[in-house]
Amino acid sequence: MAMNEKRVAIVTGGSRGIGAAIVKRLAKDGLHVVAVARNADKLAEVVAAVVAAGGSAEVAVCDIADPKAFGDLIDGLADKHGRLDVLVNNAGITKDDLVLRMTDEAFDTVIATNLKSAFVATRAAARPMMRLKGAIGGRIINISSVSGVVGNAGQANYAASKAGLIGLSKSVAKELAKKNITCNVVAPGFIATDMTQVLPDQIKDTVKGLIPLQRFGQAEEIAGVVSFLASADASYVTGQVICVDGGMVM
Ligand code: NAI
């Protein structure tokens, strides 16, 4: 098949929240965006909104915690489009508990979904990214969390997965720089999405008191930083962790 003329991006967790905002933003920036998640109906809604706005996007239903299925998906997409320019590992889950009570299952599932999936995707994406001919090389952007930077009581599994993403990203940045592939991390603070909506009001108020900008962030404010990292303007930025958190961690 002929090579897609647009730069091609894969965004995991594209069905809602931060991932949906990233899908919409990268499509607005002129990329063809593949939105990956488990929920086909919600994904289709996001892609329909992109197309209605004049953008280009497609749906890919996959459980990213299944390494074979996810690796094969990325191989297939790179073949289908003849290129792969941007990978955004955004999908993530929480299974919070105190460490004394945390089950093996809660630990392993969070690591498999949040961390191992990013390794599997990076391994599959590296080769097609190495073959890119344009001035803008490959871009890998991993969505971590301030929990991975400073830790968080009740989130040993989640914080370990998010800190792991930072070590993974810095290693990948060092390995792939000579191939004109950059790898950076965006670490959101508290962003208003389904993931944080479930927090009790009292916790939300306490958290706001810890944020210099005194509010939760919007998904679009994460998407804007991802857009920058995916753009030509970020060509000399690699191995960095950018906290987008209203100043909570500094
Ligand atoms: P969300 O819960 O609203 O959406 C998560 C997305 O990941 C959904 O599209 C879901 O379908 C997908 N997903 C989950 N497990 C999957 C699997 N096994 N296979 C395929 N897709 C899967 O989450 P939200 O709030 O949009 O967060 C996105 C990312 O940002 C996550 O990695 C999260 O850890 C991170 N983050 C979010 C913060 C927040 O305050 N909302 C703060 C810091 C980090």
Side-chain angles (χ1 to χ4, degrees), residues 13-18 37-38 62-65 90-93 113 143-145 158 162 188-191 193-196:
S15 66
R16 65 182 207 184
I18 293 170
R38 282 180 300 192
C62 180
D63 177 1
I64 61 157
N90 161 80
I93 56 166
T113 307
I143 309 299
S144 175
S145 164
Y158 181 78
K162 295 301 190 178
F190 281 84
I191 309 300
T193 67
D194 293 310
M195 188 183 261
T196 49

